[in-house]
Amino acid sequence: MDVEVVRIGSRKSQLALIQTDYVLKELTSIYPNISFEVISMSTIGDKILDKSLSKIGEKNLFTKELEIALKNKEVDFVVHSLKDLPTTLPEGMIIGAVCKRENPNDAVVLHEKHKDLTLATLPAGCVIGTSSLRRRAQLQHFHPHLKFKSVRGNLNTRLNKLDNDQLYDGLILAVAGMNRMGFSHRISQILLDTECMHAVGQGALAVECQKDDLKTLQMISKLTDQDTVLKCIAERSFMKSLGGGCSVPIAVFSELKNCKLKLKGGVFSLDGAKSLISEIDYLLNYNKENKLKDIKEYSSIVSQEISDELLHSAEQLGIALANKLLQQGARKILDEAHQQNELSVE
Ligand code: DPM
């Protein structure tokens, strides 16, 4: 008897492999007769470690090599952290599933000697490692007594630097990554949206495949979590409408309760001195059952299991919030941040 083998592409980092394994296990429980194989590879983002992410200038830093493998049909689909996927994907590629979101917030991970402190109670002059313009902009504003320094490398590398290099007093890392790696006990503080809003798509896993590979699309569609995908479409459409990527500080926070989808978003100057934050919500209509027969993309996401009405509303919410911020002058803040980032030395 022939056993069907489906090949899954993944980055090589331990976190990426844990995430891919999660998707593999979910699929194995839905399709016990299919055999899955993981093919892992390094990306430019993994190889260039001496430059900050926002400066390497490539949009698909952590995804390019995997997308080439997808195009060449060496793999059937690829598992990514949704936040590493640009709002516009290469021609022919699509996100065919978004799995249930982990905690989307950022965590403060402090050196052992400061373990019981918080950002607010750390001594003046302490150095916090992050290469995220978004994290730095928001936190510098609230904690002018702290210094921020770039740090690169995967999660293990960063934690090693924190523990052994004496260069950093703490790091800012996604709660989701820490939890998945089994490092929850190292979190000193979880940052709320009032102090530091998270990145677009943070905490959610995305499965990318070829748009015309209907068989794969059908198979992975079962992985999508409805609440997660609606929030993430709203967040991605917000970022797309602002024209943002990881070279400008854009942050979001979303909630879906009692059919109401709420999206909060902000844009910041690099030092956080200038900021525009606004929020908007929409009562979703769950009664209109108009699933589309065609494949329609919302911020590069396809979700045939979910009503088009809901997906469309989520996308419109993101556009509306972006327009609200643009009317208040977001374009100027973003353009300045982009220029300053190009000129900065770090
Ligand atoms: C992106 C950013 C970072 C990653 C920028 C941002 C953080 C870089 C840094 C787009 N991708 O968040 O503002 O702090 O220097 C990344 C992580 C995860 C996915 C690690 C992390 C795990 C969490 C998830 C890196 N990508 O943010 O701590 O799956 O959402």
Side-chain angles (χ1 to χ4, degrees):
M1 193 183 81
D2 261 2
V3 186
E4 189 185 347
V5 179
V6 171
R7 292 148 310 159
I8 315 180
S10 172
R11 279 172 61 201
K12 265 198 162 83
S13 74
Q14 193 187 349
L15 177 59
L17 290 171
I18 289 172
Q19 297 182 161
T20 303
D21 193 53
Y22 167 84
V23 167
L24 185 152
K25 292 212 165 82
E26 291 282 298
L27 284 171
T28 308
S29 72
I30 309 174
Y31 306 103
N33 296 326
I34 302 180
S35 158
F36 296 93
E37 179 192 350
V38 175
I39 296 180
S40 62
M41 51 196 87
S42 301
T43 62
I44 329 173
D46 297 307
K47 288 175 193 154
I48 306 180
L49 291 173
D50 56 348
K51 277 195 188 176
S52 80
L53 290 178
S54 52
K55 289 217 140 173
I56 302 177
E58 287 254 10
K59 264 204 165 165
N60 46 359
L61 276 182
F62 290 108
T63 55
K64 193 173 178 178
E65 285 76 3
L66 292 159
E67 280 159 343
I68 293 171
L70 204 47
K71 182 126 200 117
N72 295 338
K73 300 199 189 296
E74 289 157 27
V75 295
D76 297 294
F77 59 86
V78 175
V79 179
H80 307 275
S81 281
L82 179 59
K83 84 160 168 171
D84 293 330
L85 283 180
T87 48
T88 308
L89 299 180
E91 184 57 36
M93 303 296 160
I94 198 137
I95 299 169
V98 179
C99 307
K100 191 169 166 55
R101 192 174 223 173
E102 244 282 4
N103 185 326
N105 296 321
D106 283 334
V108 181
V109 179
L110 297 177
H111 189 275
E112 175 68 24
K113 65 186 174 209
H114 302 302
K115 196 162 99 315
D116 299 320
L117 300 181
T118 63
L119 289 183
T121 59
L122 276 175
C126 275
V127 178
I128 302 298
T130 176
S131 297
S132 157
L133 301 179
R134 171 188 65 80
R135 289 171 175 156
R136 183 192 282 226
Q138 294 182 88
L139 295 173
Q140 204 153 45
H141 175 66
F142 282 107
H143 305 287
H145 67 297
L146 300 176
K147 292 204 170 82
F148 291 85
K149 186 174 163 57
S150 170
V151 58
R152 287 287 324 277
N154 64 39
L155 217 59
N156 292 314
T157 313
R158 289 184 189 208
L159 290 170
N160 269 328
K161 285 187 185 172
L162 173 67
D163 294 340
N164 306 316
D165 284 4
Q166 311 290 327
L167 284 172
Y168 305 95
D169 294 288
L171 303 170
I172 311 296
L173 296 165
V175 174
M178 293 296 284
N179 286 350
R180 290 187 187 121
M181 295 273 286
F183 293 147
S184 316
H185 60 283
R186 296 219 44 188
I187 295 176
S188 296
Q189 181 188 4
I190 292 182
L191 296 168
L192 301 179
D193 59 294
T194 42
E195 189 170 351
C196 185
M197 283 186 277
H198 58 74
V200 165
Q202 187 162 317
L205 300 184
V207 185
E208 185 183 21
C209 70
Q210 299 220 55
K211 217 181 271 187
D212 59 9
D213 183 355
L214 300 182
K215 192 175 162 210
T216 298
L217 266 177
Q218 168 79 28
M219 176 175 69
I220 60 178
S221 68
K222 303 276 182 285
L223 295 169
T224 291
D225 175 74
Q226 176 161 304
D227 283 14
T228 303
V229 83
L230 293 173
K231 288 187 223 173
C232 290
I233 286 174
E235 293 174 10
R236 282 172 65 83
S237 114
F238 170 69
M239 179 148 96
K240 190 172 182 179
S241 304
L242 291 174
C246 68
S247 64
V248 285
I250 295 179
V252 291
F253 176 75
S254 56
E255 243 172 23
L256 180 43
K257 263 191 221 152
N258 304 326
C259 304
K260 198 200 263 175
L261 180 58
K262 184 178 107 176
L263 180 66
K264 182 174 158 190
V267 300
F268 307 85
S269 61
L270 290 192
D271 61 1
K274 285 186 216 157
S275 67
L276 278 176
I277 297 173
S278 191
E279 66 176 71
I280 123 175
D281 57 47
Y282 185 80
L283 201 56
L284 295 173
N285 183 352
Y286 282 85
N287 298 325
K288 265 197 193 164
E289 262 301 314
N290 58 336
K291 286 189 193 168
L292 288 184
K293 281 172 208 74
D294 301 338
I295 290 181
K296 192 158 175 209
E297 296 175 39
Y298 296 92
S299 308
S300 309
I301 299 173
V302 173
S303 213
Q304 284 166 296
E305 305 275 308
I306 297 170
S307 119
D308 182 55
E309 165 78 19
L310 296 176
L311 302 168
H312 178 75
S313 302
E315 184 173 59
Q316 290 304 310
L317 192 70
I319 296 171
L321 183 63
N323 285 336
K324 202 170 160 187
L325 288 185
L326 287 169
Q327 274 160 20
Q328 296 169 19
R331 175 59 47 222
K332 189 157 178 277
I333 293 183
L334 290 172
D335 284 349
E336 276 174 16
H338 187 68
Q339 278 168 13
Q340 276 175 19
N341 183 46
E342 298 272 294
L343 295 173
S344 71
V345 282
E346 212 182 30

